[in-house]
Amino acid sequence: MTTRTVARVLLDSPLPQLDRLFDYAVPEGAAIEPGVRVRVPLRTAGRVVDGFVVEIGTETDGERPLSEIDGVVSPVRVLPERLHALVRRVADRAAGSAADVLRLAVPKRMVRAEKAWLATPAPAVPVPAADALARADAVLAAYPGLAAALAAGERVALDAAPHPAADLAVGAWAQLLAAAAARTLADGRSTVLVVPDYRDQAQLERALAAFVPAEAVVRDDADQSGPARYAQFLRTLDDAPCVVIGRRSAVYTPARAGLVAVWNDGDPLLSEPLSPGVHARDAALVRQELEGSALVFAGHTRTTDVQRLVELGWVRDLPAARRVSPRVVLSATREGERGARVPSAAFQAAREAAARGPVLVQVSRPGYAPSLVCAQCRRPARCAHCAGPLRAARPGAMPVCGWCGRSSVGWRCPHCDAHSVRMASSGSERTADELGRAFPGVRVIVSDGAHPVTEVDRKPALVIATRGAEPFAPGGYAAVVLLDGERMLMSESLRIGEDCLRWWSDAAALAAPGAPVHLVGVAGPVARTLATWTHASYARTELGVRAPLHMPPAVRLAAIEGTAAAVDGAVASLREDVPTLPEDAVLGPVPVRADPGPPAARALVRFEYGIGRPVAESLRAAVVAEAVRGRAAARRSGTGVRNTLKVRLDIPEPDL
């Protein structure tokens, strides 16, 4: 009776048909452990690929032929069992490949950083200073029961205080999350803090510096060099607890987390654009279920996704002991101010505030004139080549297409034959130009995608910023003016009300306590919600409206895209595999624009959360079957392999 050692390997391959564990024989005398990187032969392709050892076992009287592992790439166990379980569960829920999720979780190997980590003794357990921990507990005390919820591993939703911290140059939200991390670290457990972008991360890093030792903070973001990021990843493999801070991929860090916190989960930057397209909120929920850590969703607003979980009782709403809200003023244009972009009340408030400190003016779009219209008939001016919208970079500049970038020399209106255009909207640069003339002697700062500014000082200034690009002002802005609100609400999006509330609330939270926040030209439920600061109530109402319409997040939504035949086949298989799927669950298929090739189509599938697993399994099986057929067809024809079917689950809204 012979016995051999067998390793089960997850291949690092984008091919969906290879998304399973493959058995390989371990060479005699080789020291291979679960979690290490290896190279293995792939017989069907006649080449060697990288992979991760998931399991090691023995096989008695094994007569089946097994290829041997070609070699060990690294002895470091970069894929611990807990990380593989998370990656596998997340991929299965999203009908994706585990290898695609692993590329987000495990950085590329850097030999020098790895050797330095192996040669360095294990770090000591970091402990917050006693005075820092006392300050952290005082911050947590603003939310009765929060400290106990963190210790018990509960799931909670918090509405962060909408103002800057009193004793730190950060927002109150950053101080709260840093305090929670300090308390968790003091209890001997790691914390994972997930934020949307670099601005939020910078604030959180400053807040953490006041509560935890510097050696306990680990960054997980793509802004670092490859060696630095890999070194930080290796630190999370140590037993010593740490505080991991990063953007959406940080949710997969292998640290043994006692707390996972997601800030501002409504921000689309937390949704992964790469396959399988999992939102950090969903990955955090899966992780909490697997590990039993505490989970915190915090924001200035409440998303309908989190509100659904609150109403189900899966997440607990934890209000602050004292309700705090900014001083929001709804400013409407009065009689005699027709055509004025800034009403007199908001203008006067900005003028008075500009004498004391910085004033924030939020606008919807960057640039000078983001859109142009015909000077005669007032219809939108469009590119003669691609029909894209025309825009101007400065007064008198040649109109340029916003899609293809071509200059529109000799433009002519197809409706009235006019040759001239006029500006139909004002971007950040034009607003700065106009307000700069109205506020002589006051410096003007523009912050947008082309001119990023992360922080301004306390001196008087007009800060013109696009939504999401507002700089932080220590102590808060003396006044905030929110322009273009009506234009923002005109977007044809299911979640535009939530988005506008998030943009406006995040800007309002930058105001100093008691400073006026003027919302210009907007009325209705969204404006009332901002003025009364009742975001949870708005999310509850929105959820109630969407439920009878079967729109997310009341139901899950999947998109199927590929050739018309592939989409039809996937839908037919889905109905056969999931007989409880309602008749009206599928929207489409409809033709979509595609590259040269077979006609493309797209279908949407609405389904209840309770049948999520069979729906994901069916769609995944369709993707694998189509990939196998495509590879066989490519082999026969001698052409390249093309993915003819793409599936994405949990898209935020229908977009047929």
Side-chain angles (χ1 to χ4, degrees):
M1 181 179 295
T2 59
T3 301
R4 62 178 175 181
T5 304
V6 176
R8 307 200 73 195
V9 178
L10 175 64
L11 302 183
D12 185 6
S13 171
L15 299 179
Q17 61 267 40
L18 300 182
D19 183 36
R20 57 186 178 89
L21 298 183
F22 288 80
D23 290 350
Y24 286 90
V26 176
E28 195 74 29
I32 296 178
E33 296 181 320
V36 301
R37 282 185 169 108
V38 292
R39 287 187 300 270
V40 294
L42 192 61
R43 289 187 298 175
T44 55
R47 58 190 176 92
V48 176
V49 298
D50 288 344
F52 300 87
V53 176
V54 175
E55 300 172 5
I56 294 287
T58 57
E59 186 176 80
T60 304
D61 290 334
E63 297 183 356
R64 57 178 180 147
L66 287 181
S67 299
E68 282 193 347
I69 291 177
D70 187 72
V72 178
V73 175
S74 165
V76 178
R77 302 177 65 175
V78 294
L79 184 63
E81 182 181 355
R82 61 184 180 276
L83 179 56
H84 175 258
L86 172 62
V87 166
R88 183 72 269 170
R89 181 77 68 87
V90 166
D92 289 344
R93 187 181 185 277
S97 296
D100 287 337
V101 182
L102 267 180
R103 290 191 194 98
L104 306 174
V106 182
K108 184 179 178 181
R109 180 181 181 237
M110 296 291 164
V111 177
R112 185 173 298 178
E114 185 174 280
K115 288 182 177 179
W117 179 75
L118 289 171
T120 304
V125 176
V127 179
D131 61 332
L133 193 57
R135 286 186 280 108
D137 289 339
V139 172
L140 296 179
Y143 291 83
L146 177 56
L150 298 179
E154 292 188 36
R155 298 173 290 265
V156 298
L158 304 176
D159 294 331
H163 58 73
D167 52 349
L168 293 175
V170 298
W173 68 268
Q175 185 182 43
L176 174 64
L177 294 187
R183 169 43 61 193
T184 305
L185 187 66
D187 292 339
R189 298 172 297 166
S190 294
T191 296
V192 180
L193 303 176
V194 184
V195 295
D197 65 12
Y198 71 96
R199 298 172 185 272
D200 299 320
Q201 183 170 332
Q203 280 198 60
L204 202 44
E205 286 179 9
R206 288 200 299 270
L208 286 170
F211 291 101
V212 301
E215 62 270 18
V217 179
V218 177
R219 286 178 53 193
D220 184 355
D221 59 77
D223 293 343
Q224 306 174 89
S225 64
R229 186 180 186 189
Y230 188 58
Q232 295 279 278
F233 169 79
L234 293 174
R235 168 64 180 87
T236 65
L237 297 174
D238 291 322
D239 291 332
C242 59
V243 178
V244 182
I245 175 175
R247 283 155 245 177
R248 54 183 176 250
S249 62
V251 73
Y252 301 108
T253 183
R256 297 182 183 276
L259 166 64
V260 177
V262 180
W263 166 251
N264 210 359
D265 69 290
D267 196 313
L269 291 176
L270 289 175
S271 181
E272 179 58 54
L274 302 177
S275 178
V278 178
H279 195 288
R281 175 185 55 244
D282 297 329
L285 285 164
V286 172
R287 178 169 188 161
Q288 193 279 333
E289 188 177 1
L290 289 173
E291 299 180 356
S293 61
L295 176 60
V296 172
F297 292 116
H300 292 132
T301 59
R302 177 72 57 82
T303 61
T304 50
D305 305 84
V306 170
Q307 184 60 32
R308 185 187 72 86
L309 297 172
V310 169
E311 294 185 9
L312 288 174
W314 190 250
V315 172
R316 180 159 70 100
D317 187 6
L318 197 60
R322 177 173 171 267
R323 184 175 179 272
V324 180
S325 61
R327 184 160 67 93
V328 178
V329 180
L330 303 182
S331 297
T333 303
R334 298 180 180 177
E335 190 70 28
E337 295 180 342
R338 187 179 299 276
R341 192 174 177 210
V342 183
S344 57
F347 186 86
Q348 185 61 31
R351 181 182 292 278
E352 294 174 359
R356 304 189 304 270
V359 174
L360 175 63
V361 180
Q362 185 196 70
V363 296
S364 63
R365 304 172 71 179
Y368 194 86
S371 60
L372 301 174
V373 296
C374 173
Q376 184 168 315
C377 69
R378 302 295 193 269
R379 296 190 181 184
R382 296 199 167 273
C383 174
H385 177 76
C386 70
L390 297 183
R391 59 183 60 172
R394 59 187 180 278
M398 178 70 64
V400 176
C401 178
W403 290 357
C404 67
R406 286 180 169 85
S407 298
S408 294
V409 181
W411 178 84
R412 176 176 295 181
C413 179
H415 305 287
C416 67
D417 210 35
H419 293 267
S420 58
V421 295
R422 63 175 293 169
M423 300 176 187
S425 61
S426 297
S428 55
E429 295 178 22
R430 185 181 178 188
T431 302
D433 189 20
E434 294 171 345
L435 292 182
R437 292 194 297 267
F439 289 77
V442 179
R443 61 180 177 145
V444 178
I445 301 172
V446 175
S447 178
D448 54 27
H451 317 88
V453 179
T454 57
E455 188 172 320
V456 296
D457 54 36
R458 299 172 185 264
K459 298 177 182 178
L462 275 176
V463 182
I464 316 300
T466 52
R467 51 198 177 190
E470 302 90 351
F472 181 79
Y477 286 94
V480 175
V481 179
L482 306 174
L483 298 180
D484 304 334
E486 189 175 8
R487 177 181 293 274
M488 295 182 192
L489 284 170
M490 290 173 63
S491 173
E492 295 181 357
S493 168
L494 178 69
R495 296 176 181 251
I496 189 57
E498 288 183 69
D499 291 339
C500 286
L501 271 179
R502 176 170 49 82
W503 296 327
W504 299 338
S505 299
D506 288 346
L510 297 174
V517 178
H518 285 260
L519 177 60
V520 174
V522 180
V526 180
R528 288 194 298 272
T529 298
L530 185 72
T532 57
W533 210 254
T534 51
H535 298 86
S537 177
Y538 179 84
R540 190 181 309 113
T541 302
E542 277 288 293
L543 196 60
V545 170
R546 294 180 201 174
L549 300 175
H550 302 292
M551 288 295 171
V555 297
R556 296 179 67 184
L557 188 62
I560 310 172
E561 187 169 340
T563 63
V567 172
D568 288 340
V571 171
S573 298
L574 178 62
R575 290 199 178 279
E576 183 177 339
D577 296 338
V578 190
T580 57
L581 196 68
E583 190 64 32
D584 61 349
V586 179
L587 304 176
V590 298
V592 295
R593 213 159 119 196
D595 297 331
R602 179 179 173 89
L604 299 179
V605 182
R606 299 176 294 182
F607 57 98
E608 299 291 338
Y609 288 81
I611 60 172
R613 176 175 292 183
V615 169
E617 290 174 350
S618 177
L619 293 178
R620 183 60 179 170
V623 170
V624 171
E626 194 61 31
V628 171
R629 281 194 291 269
R631 189 171 184 82
R635 190 181 297 114
R636 289 193 301 268
S637 62
T639 59
V641 181
R642 291 187 58 181
N643 290 332
T644 55
L645 187 65
K646 298 178 182 178
V647 168
R648 180 156 184 166
L649 272 64
D650 297 306
I651 60 175
E653 60 184 274
D655 57 352
L656 279 175

